[in-house]
Amino acid sequence: MGPIGVFDSGYGGLTVLNAVREHLPNYEYIYLGDNARAPYGSRSFDVVHEFTWQAVEFLFKQGCPLIIIACNTASAKALRTIQQTQLLDSYSGRRVLGVIRPSTETIGEWTKSNHVGILGTLGTIQSCSYIIELEKYAPQITTHQLACPMWVPLIENNYHNTDAGRAIIREDVDKLLSMSADIDTIVLACTHYPIIENQIKELVGPRVKVFSQGQIVAKKLKEYLERHTEIDNLLSKSGKVSYITTENTEVFNDKASKYLGLQIQSLHTHL
Ligand code: DGL
Protein backbone atom coordinates (compact mmCIF):
# COMPACT_ATOMS: atom_id res chain seq x y z
CA MET A 1 0.00 0.00 0.00
CA GLY A 2 1.29 3.48 -0.76
CA PRO A 3 0.38 7.16 -0.94
CA ILE A 4 -1.16 9.14 -3.79
CA GLY A 5 1.60 11.24 -5.37
CA VAL A 6 0.74 14.78 -6.40
CA PHE A 7 3.26 16.52 -8.62
CA ASP A 8 3.62 20.10 -9.81
CA SER A 9 6.43 22.27 -11.08
CA GLY A 10 6.05 24.42 -7.94
CA TYR A 11 3.36 25.57 -5.53
CA GLY A 12 0.41 25.51 -7.90
CA GLY A 13 -0.43 21.86 -7.39
CA LEU A 14 -1.05 22.58 -3.71
CA THR A 15 -4.37 24.10 -4.83
CA VAL A 16 -5.27 20.72 -6.35
CA LEU A 17 -3.98 18.75 -3.35
CA ASN A 18 -6.10 20.91 -1.01
CA ALA A 19 -9.25 20.17 -2.98
CA VAL A 20 -8.42 16.47 -3.32
CA ARG A 21 -7.91 16.20 0.44
CA GLU A 22 -11.31 17.82 1.04
CA HIS A 23 -12.97 15.08 -1.02
CA LEU A 24 -10.67 12.21 0.01
CA PRO A 25 -9.36 13.10 3.48
CA ASN A 26 -8.49 9.56 4.61
CA TYR A 27 -5.89 8.84 1.96
CA GLU A 28 -2.14 9.31 2.34
CA TYR A 29 -0.42 11.84 0.06
CA ILE A 30 3.07 12.90 -1.01
CA TYR A 31 3.31 16.30 -2.70
CA LEU A 32 6.35 17.00 -4.85
CA GLY A 33 7.09 20.52 -6.10
CA ASP A 34 9.98 20.90 -8.51
CA ASN A 35 10.45 24.52 -7.40
CA ALA A 36 14.15 24.49 -8.29
CA ARG A 37 13.30 24.14 -11.97
CA ALA A 38 9.97 26.02 -12.10
CA PRO A 39 8.50 27.51 -14.14
CA TYR A 40 8.00 24.77 -16.70
CA GLY A 41 5.62 26.88 -18.79
CA SER A 42 8.08 28.20 -21.37
CA ARG A 43 10.28 25.08 -21.53
CA SER A 44 10.39 22.80 -24.57
CA PHE A 45 8.38 19.62 -24.93
CA ASP A 46 11.46 17.41 -24.39
CA VAL A 47 12.58 19.21 -21.25
CA VAL A 48 9.12 19.19 -19.64
CA HIS A 49 8.81 15.51 -20.48
CA GLU A 50 12.24 14.69 -19.02
CA PHE A 51 11.60 16.64 -15.79
CA THR A 52 8.11 15.19 -15.38
CA TRP A 53 9.31 11.63 -15.85
CA GLN A 54 12.05 12.19 -13.25
CA ALA A 55 9.39 13.40 -10.82
CA VAL A 56 7.09 10.48 -11.60
CA GLU A 57 9.90 7.95 -11.09
CA PHE A 58 10.83 9.65 -7.81
CA LEU A 59 7.24 9.31 -6.57
CA PHE A 60 7.08 5.68 -7.71
CA LYS A 61 10.24 5.03 -5.69
CA GLN A 62 8.44 6.53 -2.67
CA GLY A 63 5.87 3.77 -3.19
CA CYS A 64 3.04 5.72 -4.89
CA PRO A 65 0.75 3.39 -6.86
CA LEU A 66 -1.09 6.44 -8.31
CA ILE A 67 0.21 9.87 -9.29
CA ILE A 68 -1.74 13.00 -10.20
CA ILE A 69 0.20 15.36 -12.42
CA ALA A 70 -1.32 18.53 -10.96
CA CYS A 71 0.29 20.72 -13.58
CA ASN A 72 -1.32 21.58 -16.90
CA THR A 73 1.98 22.15 -18.65
CA ALA A 74 3.28 18.72 -17.65
CA SER A 75 -0.11 17.13 -18.38
CA ALA A 76 -0.08 18.74 -21.85
CA LYS A 77 3.48 17.88 -22.74
CA ALA A 78 4.40 14.69 -20.91
CA LEU A 79 1.35 12.71 -19.81
CA ARG A 80 0.53 10.97 -23.08
CA THR A 81 4.06 9.60 -23.59
CA ILE A 82 4.26 8.53 -19.96
CA GLN A 83 0.89 6.75 -20.09
CA GLN A 84 1.35 5.17 -23.49
CA THR A 85 4.96 4.02 -23.34
CA GLN A 86 6.95 4.53 -20.16
CA LEU A 87 4.34 3.17 -17.73
CA LEU A 88 3.75 0.10 -19.85
CA ASP A 89 7.50 -0.51 -20.30
CA SER A 90 8.60 -0.13 -16.68
CA TYR A 91 5.74 0.34 -14.24
CA SER A 92 2.68 -1.48 -15.48
CA GLY A 93 0.09 -1.65 -12.74
CA ARG A 94 0.80 1.92 -11.60
CA ARG A 95 -1.27 4.85 -12.80
CA VAL A 96 -0.53 8.46 -13.74
CA LEU A 97 -3.43 10.88 -14.28
CA GLY A 98 -3.48 14.53 -15.38
CA VAL A 99 -5.68 17.59 -14.94
CA ILE A 100 -6.72 18.44 -18.51
CA ARG A 101 -9.11 15.59 -19.21
CA PRO A 102 -11.18 15.97 -16.02
CA SER A 103 -11.51 19.68 -16.79
CA THR A 104 -12.51 19.33 -20.44
CA GLU A 105 -15.04 16.63 -19.55
CA THR A 106 -16.75 19.16 -17.26
CA ILE A 107 -16.44 22.55 -19.02
CA GLY A 108 -19.54 21.95 -21.20
CA GLU A 109 -21.71 22.02 -18.06
CA TRP A 110 -20.69 25.55 -17.14
CA THR A 111 -21.13 27.74 -20.20
CA LYS A 112 -24.42 29.05 -21.54
CA SER A 113 -22.99 31.04 -24.45
CA ASN A 114 -20.65 28.20 -25.50
CA HIS A 115 -17.76 30.64 -25.64
CA VAL A 116 -15.08 29.65 -23.18
CA GLY A 117 -11.79 31.37 -22.38
CA ILE A 118 -8.75 29.33 -21.39
CA LEU A 119 -5.84 30.97 -19.57
CA GLY A 120 -2.65 28.93 -19.26
CA THR A 121 1.10 28.83 -19.64
CA LEU A 122 2.76 29.12 -23.04
CA GLY A 123 3.34 25.35 -23.08
CA THR A 124 -0.28 24.49 -22.32
CA ILE A 125 -1.69 26.97 -24.83
CA GLN A 126 0.76 26.10 -27.63
CA SER A 127 -0.02 22.40 -27.19
CA CYS A 128 -3.69 23.24 -28.01
CA SER A 129 -4.60 20.42 -25.57
CA TYR A 130 -7.76 22.20 -24.39
CA ILE A 131 -8.97 22.84 -27.93
CA ILE A 132 -8.30 19.21 -28.93
CA GLU A 133 -9.94 17.71 -25.83
CA LEU A 134 -12.91 20.10 -25.90
CA GLU A 135 -13.61 19.10 -29.50
CA LYS A 136 -14.10 15.56 -28.15
CA TYR A 137 -16.16 16.29 -25.04
CA ALA A 138 -18.02 19.51 -25.93
CA PRO A 139 -17.81 20.18 -29.69
CA GLN A 140 -20.42 22.96 -29.43
CA ILE A 141 -17.91 25.16 -27.58
CA THR A 142 -15.77 27.81 -29.23
CA THR A 143 -12.51 28.04 -27.32
CA HIS A 144 -10.60 31.31 -26.95
CA GLN A 145 -7.20 30.78 -25.39
CA LEU A 146 -4.40 33.00 -24.17
CA ALA A 147 -0.93 32.25 -22.83
CA CYS A 148 0.05 34.27 -19.76
CA PRO A 149 3.80 33.57 -19.58
CA MET A 150 4.40 36.11 -16.82
CA TRP A 151 1.85 34.83 -14.33
CA VAL A 152 3.69 31.81 -12.89
CA PRO A 153 6.94 33.75 -12.37
CA LEU A 154 4.89 36.54 -10.74
CA ILE A 155 3.18 34.09 -8.40
CA GLU A 156 6.29 32.01 -7.61
CA ASN A 157 8.11 35.22 -6.69
CA ASN A 158 5.18 36.80 -4.84
CA TYR A 159 4.96 39.75 -7.24
CA HIS A 160 1.34 39.27 -8.24
CA ASN A 161 0.10 41.84 -5.74
CA THR A 162 2.48 44.61 -6.75
CA ASP A 163 1.30 47.42 -9.04
CA ALA A 164 3.40 46.04 -11.90
CA GLY A 165 2.11 42.51 -11.32
CA ARG A 166 -1.52 43.65 -11.20
CA ALA A 167 -1.06 45.63 -14.42
CA ILE A 168 0.33 42.58 -16.27
CA ILE A 169 -2.54 40.39 -15.04
CA ARG A 170 -5.13 43.04 -16.02
CA GLU A 171 -3.64 43.38 -19.50
CA ASP A 172 -3.81 39.62 -20.13
CA VAL A 173 -7.38 39.30 -18.82
CA ASP A 174 -8.46 42.23 -21.04
CA LYS A 175 -6.74 40.59 -24.02
CA LEU A 176 -8.68 37.37 -23.49
CA LEU A 177 -12.02 39.15 -23.04
CA SER A 178 -11.41 41.20 -26.19
CA MET A 179 -11.34 37.96 -28.23
CA SER A 180 -15.13 37.63 -27.91
CA ALA A 181 -17.87 39.54 -26.12
CA ASP A 182 -19.65 36.19 -25.69
CA ILE A 183 -17.13 34.62 -23.31
CA ASP A 184 -19.13 33.73 -20.18
CA THR A 185 -16.72 31.23 -18.65
CA ILE A 186 -13.00 31.35 -18.01
CA VAL A 187 -11.01 28.30 -17.01
CA LEU A 188 -7.84 28.81 -15.01
CA ALA A 189 -5.90 26.14 -16.88
CA CYS A 190 -2.82 26.43 -14.74
CA THR A 191 -2.77 25.18 -11.20
CA HIS A 192 -0.92 28.29 -10.04
CA TYR A 193 -3.71 30.63 -11.09
CA PRO A 194 -6.23 29.83 -8.32
CA ILE A 195 -3.80 31.70 -6.07
CA ILE A 196 -4.89 34.86 -7.93
CA GLU A 197 -8.48 33.75 -8.56
CA ASN A 198 -9.99 36.66 -6.60
CA GLN A 199 -7.88 39.16 -8.51
CA ILE A 200 -9.14 37.67 -11.81
CA LYS A 201 -12.77 37.59 -10.61
CA GLU A 202 -12.59 41.29 -9.72
CA LEU A 203 -11.28 42.08 -13.21
CA VAL A 204 -13.92 40.14 -15.16
CA GLY A 205 -16.91 41.10 -13.03
CA PRO A 206 -19.96 38.98 -12.17
CA ARG A 207 -21.05 38.28 -15.78
CA VAL A 208 -18.12 35.91 -16.40
CA LYS A 209 -17.67 32.77 -14.31
CA VAL A 210 -14.13 31.81 -13.37
CA PHE A 211 -13.31 28.17 -12.68
CA SER A 212 -10.33 26.59 -10.97
CA GLN A 213 -9.53 22.93 -11.46
CA GLY A 214 -9.01 21.70 -7.91
CA GLN A 215 -12.63 20.76 -7.17
CA ILE A 216 -13.11 19.17 -10.60
CA VAL A 217 -9.97 17.06 -10.37
CA ALA A 218 -10.92 16.01 -6.84
CA LYS A 219 -14.43 14.96 -7.84
CA LYS A 220 -13.20 13.04 -10.86
CA LEU A 221 -10.50 11.32 -8.81
CA LYS A 222 -13.09 10.18 -6.28
CA GLU A 223 -15.20 8.72 -9.10
CA TYR A 224 -12.11 7.10 -10.62
CA LEU A 225 -11.24 5.34 -7.36
CA GLU A 226 -14.84 4.15 -6.97
CA ARG A 227 -14.64 2.62 -10.46
CA HIS A 228 -11.09 1.26 -10.08
CA THR A 229 -11.15 -0.61 -6.79
CA GLU A 230 -8.01 -2.51 -7.88
CA ILE A 231 -6.11 0.82 -7.63
CA ASP A 232 -7.98 2.01 -4.56
CA ASN A 233 -6.98 -1.17 -2.74
CA LEU A 234 -3.30 -0.26 -3.26
CA LEU A 235 -3.67 3.15 -1.57
CA SER A 236 -2.90 3.70 2.09
CA LYS A 237 -5.53 5.51 4.10
CA SER A 238 -3.56 7.01 6.97
CA GLY A 239 -4.58 10.64 6.29
CA LYS A 240 -0.87 11.55 6.40
CA VAL A 241 0.57 14.19 4.02
CA SER A 242 4.25 14.78 3.22
CA TYR A 243 5.59 17.70 1.22
CA ILE A 244 8.82 17.55 -0.75
CA THR A 245 10.46 20.35 -2.70
CA THR A 246 13.54 20.47 -4.91
CA GLU A 247 14.26 24.02 -3.62
CA ASN A 248 14.70 25.57 -0.19
CA THR A 249 12.34 24.02 2.37
CA GLU A 250 11.90 27.16 4.48
CA VAL A 251 10.82 29.19 1.47
CA PHE A 252 8.45 26.39 0.48
CA ASN A 253 6.91 26.24 3.99
CA ASP A 254 6.56 30.00 4.08
CA LYS A 255 4.86 30.27 0.68
CA ALA A 256 2.56 27.31 1.37
CA SER A 257 1.42 29.14 4.49
CA LYS A 258 1.14 32.53 2.77
CA TYR A 259 -0.74 31.33 -0.31
CA LEU A 260 -2.80 28.49 1.05
CA GLY A 261 -2.81 28.79 4.82
CA LEU A 262 -1.01 25.45 5.14
CA GLN A 263 1.32 25.01 8.12
CA ILE A 264 3.81 22.44 6.83
CA GLN A 265 7.32 21.11 7.30
CA SER A 266 8.61 20.15 3.88
CA LEU A 267 11.57 17.95 3.04
CA HIS A 268 14.16 18.49 0.35
CA THR A 269 15.18 16.25 -2.55
CA HIS A 270 17.16 16.40 -5.77
CA LEU A 271 15.57 14.87 -8.82
N1 DGL B 1 1.18 24.82 -12.35
C1 DGL B 1 1.72 24.70 -13.67
C2 DGL B 1 0.59 24.51 -14.68
O1 DGL B 1 -0.47 24.16 -14.31
C3 DGL B 1 2.61 25.85 -13.90
C4 DGL B 1 3.57 25.59 -14.92
C5 DGL B 1 4.88 26.30 -14.80
O2 DGL B 1 5.69 25.86 -14.00
O3 DGL B 1 5.08 27.22 -15.59
O4 DGL B 1 0.74 24.70 -15.86
Side-chain angles (χ1 to χ4, degrees):
M1 301 252 272
I4 297 176
V6 179
F7 167 65
D8 183 49
S9 58
Y11 304 106
L14 290 171
T15 60
V16 175
L17 175 64
N18 269 2
V20 168
R21 286 184 64 207
E22 267 173 42
H23 286 252
L24 298 162
N26 299 331
Y27 288 74
E28 181 181 348
Y29 299 93
I30 298 185
Y31 182 86
L32 172 64
D34 190 9
N35 299 78
R37 302 187 294 192
Y40 280 15
S42 307
R43 293 187 187 273
S44 69
F45 181 96
D46 288 345
V47 170
V48 172
H49 174 245
E50 185 191 330
F51 288 0
T52 305
W53 180 242
Q54 286 169 356
V56 165
E57 282 212 296
F58 173 84
L59 288 168
F60 281 157
K61 287 188 183 130
Q62 306 300 305
C64 297
L66 169 70
I67 295 170
I68 311 296
I69 298 189
C71 173
N72 286 269
T73 311
S75 296
K77 292 191 164 185
L79 185 61
R80 186 178 295 258
T81 316
I82 288 175
Q83 283 175 332
Q84 292 181 352
T85 56
Q86 286 159 299
L87 271 193
L88 300 178
D89 290 349
S90 333
Y91 296 94
S92 64
R94 312 240 194 160
R95 295 287 181 275
V96 181
L97 305 174
V99 287
I100 296 179
R101 181 152 166 204
S103 308
T104 50
E105 281 176 351
T106 317
I107 290 170
E109 297 165 15
W110 304 330
T111 171
K112 290 202 171 64
S113 68
N114 285 328
H115 283 264
V116 171
I118 305 285
L119 295 169
T121 65
L122 201 59
T124 300
I125 298 305
Q126 281 177 346
S127 76
C128 289
S129 298
Y130 276 84
I131 294 181
I132 295 165
E133 294 292 312
L134 277 170
E135 269 163 20
K136 280 190 225 155
Y137 298 113
Q140 73 283 8
I141 288 178
T142 305
T143 307
H144 309 272
Q145 54 168 19
L146 183 78
C148 308
M150 294 304 293
W151 289 19
V152 172
L154 285 174
I155 294 166
E156 288 276 327
N157 295 295
N158 206 14
Y159 267 69
H160 51 280
N161 265 325
T162 62
D163 287 346
R166 295 183 84 88
I168 290 170
I169 293 165
R170 185 182 321 112
E171 198 180 310
D172 284 336
V173 168
D174 287 348
K175 226 183 267 173
L176 178 73
L177 290 178
S178 72
M179 290 179 185
S180 166
D182 293 327
I183 294 174
D184 69 349
T185 302
I186 291 179
V187 181
L188 304 184
C190 170
T191 50
H192 279 68
Y193 299 174
I195 292 168
I196 55 168
E197 185 171 337
N198 287 340
Q199 221 167 306
I200 299 167
K201 280 183 171 160
E202 267 173 39
L203 291 169
V204 301
R207 195 189 59 79
V208 180
K209 285 173 281 173
V210 178
F211 285 94
S212 295
Q213 296 170 303
Q215 293 297 330
I216 304 155
V217 172
K219 216 172 126 238
K220 291 280 180 185
L221 177 62
K222 193 161 185 254
E223 289 166 13
Y224 176 89
L225 294 177
E226 282 160 8
R227 279 199 316 276
H228 294 275
T229 47
E230 77 287 4
I231 301 294
D232 191 53
N233 290 337
L234 300 174
L235 299 171
S236 36
K237 278 108 184 161
S238 64
K240 202 177 131 211
V241 192
S242 331
Y243 299 89
I244 304 175
T245 174
T246 56
E247 246 295 342
N248 181 294
T249 53
E250 276 169 34
V251 175
F252 189 90
N253 298 345
D254 182 52
K255 293 218 176 135
S257 130
K258 209 173 271 162
Y259 293 160
L260 294 152
L262 291 168
Q263 301 308 321
I264 61 167
Q265 293 297 324
S266 57
L267 301 168
H268 179 263
T269 192
H270 292 286
L271 289 179

